[in-house]
Amino acid sequence: MTAPSLLILAGDGIGPEVMAQVRRVISWYGDRRGLNFDVSEDLVGGAAYDAHGVPLTDETMAKAQEVDAVLLGAVGGPNYDDLDFSLKPERGLLRLRKEMDLFANLRPAQCFDALADFSSLKRDVVAGLDIMIVRELTSGIYFGEPRGIITEGNERIGINTQRYTESEIARVARSAFELARRRSNKVCSMEKANVMESGVLWRKVVNEIHAAEYSDVELSHMYADAGAMQLCRWPKQFDVIVTDNLFGDLLSDAAAMLTGSLGMLPSASLGAPMANGRPKAMYEPVHGSAPDIAGQGKANPIACILSFAMALRYSFDEGEEATRLESAVEAVLAQGARTADLLGPEGGTPISTSEMGDAVLAALDASV
Ligand code: IPM
Ligand code: MG
């Protein structure tokens, strides 16, 4: 059997630093578990722009379509603020999502017990939290036409369009219902059906799919603003949240803070099954490129490491090995290992990005 292929696109800012720790974890799986991957690397975002004048080359795009999974670090940075919109680092990431048709973005927000005091919310609100946000990733206002900045008379007008087809809503709803069945069997769908037609259709289609195929799953609906409030008030009421691209972007950053730090949240972006049965997939931490701390060895590699755990589970059917990695992270946090983002109000001495990597590898060693 040939080793499954992984394309690493470390990107910008802290992307390369956190991805370096993931590379060590990947090597560990080869050395210690006989799980080998055929790893290649390429450029995305500002790094690709610096080398090639575009945030993603056609060659890299083609490679991403061929591999079993893509691991992405982060894109963006202040050097690129003045670039034309089509050349911005973020366009590289959005092109990958769109052309690979990665419509279901899974963002699990789990609060590890050792971090329950680090959240900005009270311990009892977040301890034991385990929710999954399923964000639609390839449509909605991120991609809708018309878009642009036009001039009418002597006024400039900025335009974006929220647009959802019923099949786009149906497929992400199915992903959410399928996931719920393997969890606590509850889905809450969020939109703004009170003000947006796209929200009215969203709610209708989710209800139809539910009635026809998933009536065993408990379904509720919330307006996204109320949902944001409930996420902060009592997040444990949720199991799976399904929502559109823009609301999902906002709600998942909010959910990240429930877990103690944005540096903890992994994600999986999944599309339709490929010929080999594996879904098209890209795995990336939810945090961005954090230019303010880039290159200083301060970044927390856990979100990126946990994204690789998601790859083990969702692309490679290695659920037990994914759990091994997640447990290793949990053990390391329980031992008190803290990068700077994980220090509570009482402070303490942070460890570096690579020291966090050392700790995770040691915990993996201890697990076999
Ligand atoms: C995310 C990010 C991206 C998004 C940016 C970097 C384009 O915020 O993955 O949440 O808005 O989707
Ligand atoms: Mg975001």
Side-chain angles (χ1 to χ4, degrees):
M1 243 179 65
T2 55
S5 51
L6 284 177
L7 173 62
I8 292 186
L9 302 173
D12 307 325
I14 61 171
E17 294 162 61
V18 295
M19 197 59 86
Q21 303 312 311
V22 176
R23 292 217 60 151
R24 298 173 70 198
V25 170
I26 295 171
S27 302
W28 185 91
Y29 274 97
D31 297 343
R32 302 296 304 273
R33 305 301 300 156
L35 263 180
N36 290 293
F37 295 93
D38 176 7
V39 181
S40 55
E41 286 207 50
D42 213 325
L43 302 174
V44 69
Y49 177 81
D50 291 342
H52 305 295
V54 286
L56 187 76
T57 65
D58 293 342
E59 292 72 34
T60 311
M61 187 64 241
K63 252 192 249 174
Q65 295 283 20
E66 276 159 27
V67 291
D68 290 306
V70 176
L71 303 182
L72 188 130
V75 295
N79 294 349
Y80 311 103
D81 280 351
D82 297 329
L83 282 182
D84 183 76
F85 210 66
S86 63
L87 296 175
K88 280 193 188 294
E90 289 79 3
R91 299 313 302 176
L93 173 58
L94 294 172
R95 181 177 176 196
L96 284 161
R97 291 174 177 173
K98 186 69 178 174
E99 292 191 21
M100 293 171 75
D101 203 17
L102 305 171
F103 62 89
N105 181 217
L106 281 45
R107 299 188 159 189
Q110 243 177 310
C111 183
F112 291 97
D113 198 57
L115 296 185
D117 293 319
F118 296 80
S119 170
S120 47
L121 299 187
K122 294 191 194 81
R123 168 176 264 279
D124 66 316
V125 175
V126 295
L129 178 76
D130 179 5
I131 63 179
M132 176 75 86
I133 296 183
V134 180
R135 168 188 178 194
E136 199 293 323
L137 201 60
T138 52
S139 185
I141 202 161
Y142 270 54
F143 297 99
E145 300 281 347
R147 63 183 300 156
I149 301 176
I150 61 167
T151 304
E152 260 182 36
N154 50 13
E155 270 249 286
R156 285 166 301 166
I157 308 177
I159 301 173
N160 290 94
T161 303
Q162 167 87 329
R163 182 179 193 276
Y164 271 107
T165 65
E166 65 176 301
S167 51
E168 286 168 343
I169 300 167
R171 65 183 185 171
V172 75
R174 285 195 181 93
S175 300
F177 287 127
E178 291 289 339
L179 274 165
R181 277 184 176 159
R182 284 182 269 138
R183 298 170 45 96
S184 302
N185 217 33
K186 281 198 318 194
V187 170
C188 181
S189 171
M190 296 187 188
E191 27 55 17
K192 286 280 290 176
N194 50 345
V195 283
M196 298 166 75
E197 284 78 0
S198 58
V200 172
L201 183 67
W202 182 283
R203 189 175 286 216
K204 271 206 179 89
V205 173
V206 170
N207 276 331
E208 287 161 9
I209 298 290
H210 177 250
E213 301 168 37
Y214 297 97
S215 55
D216 56 300
V217 180
E218 192 186 316
L219 172 65
S220 59
H221 302 273
M222 271 184 205
Y223 298 138
D225 54 344
M229 184 269 282
Q230 290 296 341
L231 257 184
C232 304
R233 190 187 73 83
W234 192 244
K236 286 188 252 182
Q237 70 188 282
F238 298 113
D239 176 26
V240 174
I241 292 172
V242 63
T243 189
D244 76 12
N245 204 342
L246 182 61
F247 294 140
D249 185 42
L250 304 180
L251 293 168
S252 60
D253 263 31
M257 272 323 290
L258 305 173
T259 70
S261 165
L262 192 50
M264 295 294 300
L265 222 71
S267 87
S269 305
L270 306 176
M274 301 185 282
N276 61 13
R278 296 188 175 114
K280 277 253 161 156
M282 179 161 74
Y283 299 88
E284 51 172 313
V286 170
H287 64 67
S289 57
D292 51 320
I293 58 163
Q296 301 170 34
K298 285 185 186 169
N300 181 356
I302 290 180
C304 205
I305 289 173
L306 291 176
S307 298
F308 177 65
M310 292 188 86
L312 290 171
R313 176 169 293 117
Y314 292 105
S315 279
F316 304 116
D317 212 13
E318 294 284 355
E320 274 176 35
E321 295 300 338
T323 304
R324 176 193 304 283
L325 183 50
E326 289 156 356
S327 304
V329 167
E330 186 162 15
V332 160
L333 294 171
Q335 289 153 18
R338 302 279 182 267
T339 41
D341 57 301
L342 297 177
L343 291 177
E346 65 277 15
T349 314
I351 62 172
S352 68
T353 309
S354 61
E355 285 166 337
M356 186 59 100
D358 296 344
V360 171
L361 290 177
L364 282 172
D365 279 337
S367 77
V368 293

